[in-house]
Amino acid sequence: MKKLFTTLFAAVAIITSLPVQAQTTQTGYNLYGHVSNFDEKCGIYQFTSNGNTDMNLVINIGTKPGYGAVKVKDLYYVFNMESAGEYGPEYVMDIYDTENYELITRHKLSKDIVSEGSPITYDAKTDKVYSIYKVNDYYYQLCTLDLKRDKKTEIGSLTKNFLTLAFNDEGKLYGITDQGDLYIISTADAAIELVGNTKLTPMYQQAATFLPGDNKNMYWTATFQTENGGLYKVDVTNAACEKIKTFPEDHEFAFIWAGDKIIQADAPGKSTNISTKFENGSTAGKVLFTAPATTHSGGTLTGSLTYRVLVDGEEKANGSTNPGEDVQADVTTTQGMHSFTIVVSNDYGDGEKAGLTKQYIGKDTPKAVSNVKLERAANGTDLTLTWDGPTESVHNGYFNAEEVKYKVVQMPANKMIEANAVSPFTFNVASDKPELCFFDVIPYVDETTVGIPMSSNKLLIGKPFTVPYTENFDKNEEFLLFTIEHNGEGNGYWAWDYDYKWISIYSSTEKDDWIFTPFIAVEKGATYKLSFDVQTIGKEKFEVRLGNSPSSTAMTQELISDTELDTDGKFINKECEFTVEEGNIVFIGFHANTTNFEDAMKLYLDNIKVEKTGTTKIDAVGTSKEDENTPMYNLSGQKVDKNYKGIVIQKGRKFMNR
């Protein structure tokens, strides 16, 4: 067997659900740890805190913890360096679940937040991970690790080479050096206080932990250069060290933690028929179970029993019972997801644990609403919001649809419109200027039982634009008031050009893409002229239509039928006249619908104008060329001549002068 180079870390006392060994008359706890010095039998082992020398392989883990490991709640992190190739070493963090130790993900670290031979440990009291990072053979850093962000934060420097670390339940950090010295280490500034010497000289990987409720004795799996390693109990008040047992195969642990107490053969077996009864979303209820009728070893259980009901590890009820008797224990807890554990005991100690996990207590969170739709009411100003309420809860807990209320929040302003809305909800949102917004519908039962928001489609609110209406796309804010509808599988989208201040759509596939103006107020029976500049690279097809909402299905009035153009990279002017049957607000839709994409490339729009006129003109095509004597200006407002190259404005229209 080959020892890994130097040590890694210690562990922390965390109860797990791994199986326990039972056939023993000795007391103590089951311990679990990651053995790292075997080629084919590396993995999680179960052993005991007493003199029993049995070592039971629970599960193989393929990853060797060459750069440490740490267990944090229900996740187990294993660190290693894969290779030092052309671009330097690659550091890897494998993450396992702690229920069955299946690999969740393999994550490549962005930097070396851990180092070879440095210990790592977890403080359950503060929910923080600590490590000692080895800078060189003489300088070390006590650090915290943010495992979600690949971040290492230095607390302070150390000159001692610590081989193992462990926290007790009080949140005190202890460490043992390569000289066998036991220290208390400050997590505030890395200051160290010598407790004493263990009279051992450890080498290679070490691990340590505390048993639940015992803040005095640290259990240490020590390894040495010339003799087999073993389990030692270290008194952290004076460093007195007691050998508990030798590991016959010289098991070398990178991480250990405490599980359940060892169950005696004549202690009770498992309780059965476990259920909970918390009516109408109450957090006060009953835990029901049948006390065991057999011992842990399978014999007939006799005599009086006591029981404890734990919620998330905290005792919430206790009492007396008899073998095989049905029990109803009164329990009060908090709203949320909980685990319930039943422990039945007799004169031989605690029996086997049994229970339920992931039980939602209290009023459960409603699922999100569906089919949220925002429409403009018939009067053109009010908005109507509709949705379908949830019929289920998020965690399959207590749910009463009649108790669900709904908040309506205006976005992106994040402004509450109504806290007790009912679908359909009709309302008016005042605004001095047109702005695009949407609304979130949030289901909730009370202020602590709130579902996730579901957003509506976007609509313009505020006062509509009036005629004459002009849009030159000089600012992105103006473009954002337009509504885009992308259909089909094409890869083109309408976009605003920052440099040239126009909008365009490019696609190497078929186009089926609409862009709609903001709402424009028009008068019944009046005649209006629409004009705009259009440019193509390649042969492009488009149409223009009119409707009462910014969607293709609402575009009921044709303004310009399907038109195919090839302007050879020059803007031309298009215009048409129209009337409306009812005075209201309208939206003008420009539809890029090129199908012959092999001959097409890009379509541009600019200088959209709507004017009220008393004359009727036929749809006409004009060019962007103006009288040579007409003044031209650049985008900065400076007068330029015909030799100027770039975007110019002439007679209120914008085009590229080449």
Side-chain angles (χ1 to χ4, degrees):
M1 292 173 292
K2 184 179 179 182
K3 302 265 189 181
L4 292 183
F5 180 72
T6 66
T7 188
L8 291 170
F9 56 79
V12 12
I14 303 178
I15 302 296
T16 75
S17 59
L18 290 172
V20 298
Q21 295 299 114
Q23 302 301 326
T24 178
T25 58
Q26 293 182 300
T27 60
Y29 274 79
N30 287 286
L31 298 177
Y32 298 89
H34 193 168
V35 170
S36 60
N37 61 322
F38 298 148
D39 290 333
E40 296 180 357
K41 295 192 297 180
C42 287
I44 304 298
Y45 280 73
Q46 177 271 329
F47 56 108
T48 65
S49 65
N50 56 38
N52 187 335
T53 58
D54 291 343
M55 284 283 182
N56 302 288
L57 178 63
V58 176
I59 190 169
N60 284 108
I61 288 184
T63 309
K64 284 192 175 184
Y67 277 65
V70 65
K71 183 176 181 295
V72 181
K73 298 178 181 178
D74 57 353
L75 296 176
Y76 185 55
Y77 300 82
V78 183
F79 302 91
N80 211 340
M81 184 184 74
E82 284 196 332
S83 63
E86 180 180 356
Y87 301 102
E90 287 189 343
Y91 300 94
V92 178
M93 177 175 69
D94 285 358
I95 306 176
Y96 296 84
D97 69 64
T98 56
E99 184 175 355
N100 52 22
Y101 283 86
E102 290 185 354
L103 180 66
I104 297 173
T105 185
R106 166 164 284 196
H107 172 64
K108 289 190 176 181
L109 299 172
S110 59
K111 57 184 76 70
D112 55 337
I113 63 172
V114 293
S115 60
E116 186 178 16
S118 296
I120 309 173
T121 190
Y122 171 69
D123 181 15
K125 189 171 183 179
T126 61
D127 192 26
K128 290 183 178 181
V129 176
Y130 290 81
S131 74
I132 293 180
Y133 183 84
K134 183 178 180 180
V135 179
N136 54 47
D137 290 337
Y138 308 100
Y139 180 62
Y140 311 87
Q141 297 170 341
L142 178 67
C143 307
T144 57
L145 299 181
D146 186 338
L147 300 181
K148 294 181 179 179
R149 297 175 178 84
D150 294 1
K151 184 179 180 181
K152 170 171 61 64
T153 302
E154 182 184 357
I155 296 172
S157 60
L158 297 165
T159 56
K160 302 291 183 180
N161 183 17
F162 284 91
L163 300 185
T164 187
L165 300 173
F167 280 97
N168 66 11
D169 290 344
E170 295 174 336
K172 286 186 177 181
L173 178 60
Y174 294 88
I176 298 175
T177 71
D178 57 354
Q179 300 302 308
D181 291 324
L182 174 68
Y183 285 89
I184 301 174
I185 307 173
S186 170
T187 56
D189 57 9
I192 58 176
E193 177 186 345
L194 179 63
V195 176
N197 187 271
T198 61
K199 304 192 185 316
L200 298 174
T201 306
M203 288 188 69
Y204 315 113
Q205 286 188 290
Q206 316 286 314
T209 189
F210 286 83
L211 302 182
D214 182 0
N215 293 311
K216 181 182 178 182
N217 297 298
M218 183 169 70
Y219 287 76
W220 172 28
T221 53
T223 55
F224 311 100
Q225 184 176 21
T226 59
E227 60 183 290
N228 280 7
L231 179 65
Y232 292 80
K233 183 170 68 172
V234 183
D235 187 332
V236 296
T237 65
N238 56 19
C241 191
E242 173 189 348
K243 186 174 184 178
I244 296 174
K245 58 188 170 188
T246 298
F247 299 141
E249 294 186 72
D250 199 20
H251 293 74
E252 186 175 323
F253 288 91
F255 182 88
I256 64 170
W257 67 95
D260 293 327
K261 283 184 178 179
I262 297 171
I263 303 173
Q264 302 302 303
D266 292 327
K270 282 187 177 181
S271 299
T272 56
N273 302 323
I274 303 168
S275 64
T276 60
K277 188 176 182 181
F278 291 80
E279 296 181 337
N280 300 322
S282 174
T283 54
K286 296 181 182 295
V287 175
L288 295 76
F289 63 94
T290 300
T294 58
T295 64
H296 180 53
S297 60
T300 301
L301 184 63
T302 60
S304 60
L305 307 172
T306 59
Y307 68 83
R308 305 192 311 277
V309 178
L310 287 72
V311 180
D312 302 328
E314 181 181 353
E315 184 176 318
K316 292 291 186 179
N318 59 71
S320 301
T321 186
N322 296 300
E325 189 171 85
D326 291 333
V327 178
Q328 296 188 24
D330 293 322
V331 171
T332 299
T333 184
T334 58
Q335 179 172 306
M337 194 74 75
H338 296 289
S339 295
F340 295 84
T341 305
I342 313 299
V343 182
V344 177
S345 308
N346 62 6
D347 292 342
Y348 295 94
D350 291 345
E352 297 179 47
K353 291 182 177 180
L356 300 171
T357 60
K358 297 181 180 179
Q359 302 291 302
Y360 195 90
I361 304 301
K363 294 180 178 180
D364 200 353
T365 305
K367 285 188 174 181
V369 301
S370 57
N371 300 322
V372 186
K373 187 176 182 181
L374 180 65
E375 295 179 311
R376 202 173 306 281
N379 60 14
T381 55
D382 288 347
L383 303 175
T384 299
L385 188 65
T386 56
W387 64 87
D388 295 333
T391 58
E392 298 177 325
S393 61
V394 173
H395 309 99
N396 296 317
Y398 174 81
F399 175 76
N400 183 351
E402 295 181 356
E403 295 182 344
V404 180
K405 296 173 285 188
Y406 301 93
K407 296 179 181 179
V408 174
V409 180
Q410 180 183 340
M411 300 298 290
N414 197 27
K415 178 182 178 182
M416 174 76 73
I417 301 299
E418 175 61 50
N420 197 12
V422 177
S423 176
F425 178 61
T426 300
F427 58 106
N428 181 274
V429 179
S431 178
D432 294 335
K433 61 180 181 179
E435 59 178 301
L436 197 63
C437 70
F438 60 96
F439 294 83
D440 281 347
V441 180
I442 306 172
Y444 72 104
V445 176
D446 50 48
E447 292 304 318
T448 60
T449 313
V450 182
I452 63 173
M454 190 60 67
S455 300
S456 74
N457 52 298
K458 294 181 179 180
L459 277 186
L460 280 164
I461 63 170
K463 297 179 181 179
F465 288 97
T466 56
V467 176
Y469 168 78
T470 302
E471 183 52 72
N472 295 323
F473 300 107
D474 289 338
K475 298 179 180 178
N476 187 43
E477 290 80 359
E478 298 167 353
F479 169 69
L480 293 177
L481 294 178
F482 280 64
T483 303
I484 294 172
E485 181 182 310
H486 176 73
N487 300 306
E489 302 298 326
N491 59 10
Y493 291 87
W494 285 102
W496 178 72
D497 192 297
Y498 175 84
D499 293 318
Y500 296 111
K501 311 299 193 258
W502 55 46
I503 62 172
S504 63
I505 180 171
Y506 164 81
S507 176
S508 60
T509 59
E510 292 185 359
K511 298 181 178 71
D512 187 9
D513 296 82
W514 290 83
I515 188 165
F516 305 98
T517 66
F519 48 15
I520 303 170
V522 294
E523 301 174 13
K524 178 181 180 180
T527 303
Y528 295 92
K529 182 178 76 171
L530 166 69
S531 65
F532 56 93
D533 291 340
V534 59
Q535 174 182 269
T536 71
I537 298 178
K539 190 180 294 184
E540 294 283 353
K541 188 167 65 128
F542 70 94
E543 65 171 329
V544 184
R545 302 183 71 87
L546 185 78
N548 60 8
S549 68
S551 66
S552 58
T553 57
M555 294 288 108
T556 56
Q557 184 174 343
E558 183 180 273
L559 300 185
I560 297 178
S561 61
D562 279 354
T563 302
E564 192 170 67
L565 291 176
D566 185 352
T567 72
D568 193 25
K570 298 177 182 179
F571 271 105
I572 65 172
N573 183 251
K574 291 283 289 181
E575 61 181 39
C576 65
E577 287 193 342
F578 65 91
T579 60
V580 292
E581 295 181 358
E582 298 291 337
N584 209 325
I585 59 172
V586 295
F587 298 82
I588 299 172
F590 297 85
H591 183 202
N593 58 352
T594 302
T595 54
N596 184 18
F597 61 88
E598 292 182 354
D599 294 334
M601 183 177 289
K602 201 166 187 179
L603 176 68
Y604 302 80
L605 286 178
D606 202 0
N607 302 315
I608 299 171
K609 292 183 181 179
V610 178
E611 303 170 274
K612 184 178 179 182
T613 176
T615 60
T616 302
K617 289 187 178 180
I618 300 175
D619 177 20
V621 176
T623 70
S624 61
K625 185 175 181 181
E626 298 288 346
D627 191 307
E628 293 182 356
N629 296 322
T630 303
M632 293 190 302
Y633 301 88
N634 62 20
L635 292 178
S636 299
Q638 299 168 324
K639 189 175 181 179
V640 296
D641 59 26
K642 62 181 181 181
N643 296 320
Y644 179 82
K645 305 298 183 184
I647 300 175
V648 296
I649 301 172
Q650 189 177 52
K651 284 189 174 181
R653 288 192 299 107
K654 189 165 46 179
F655 62 92
M656 174 67 75
N657 196 45
R658 301 179 185 276

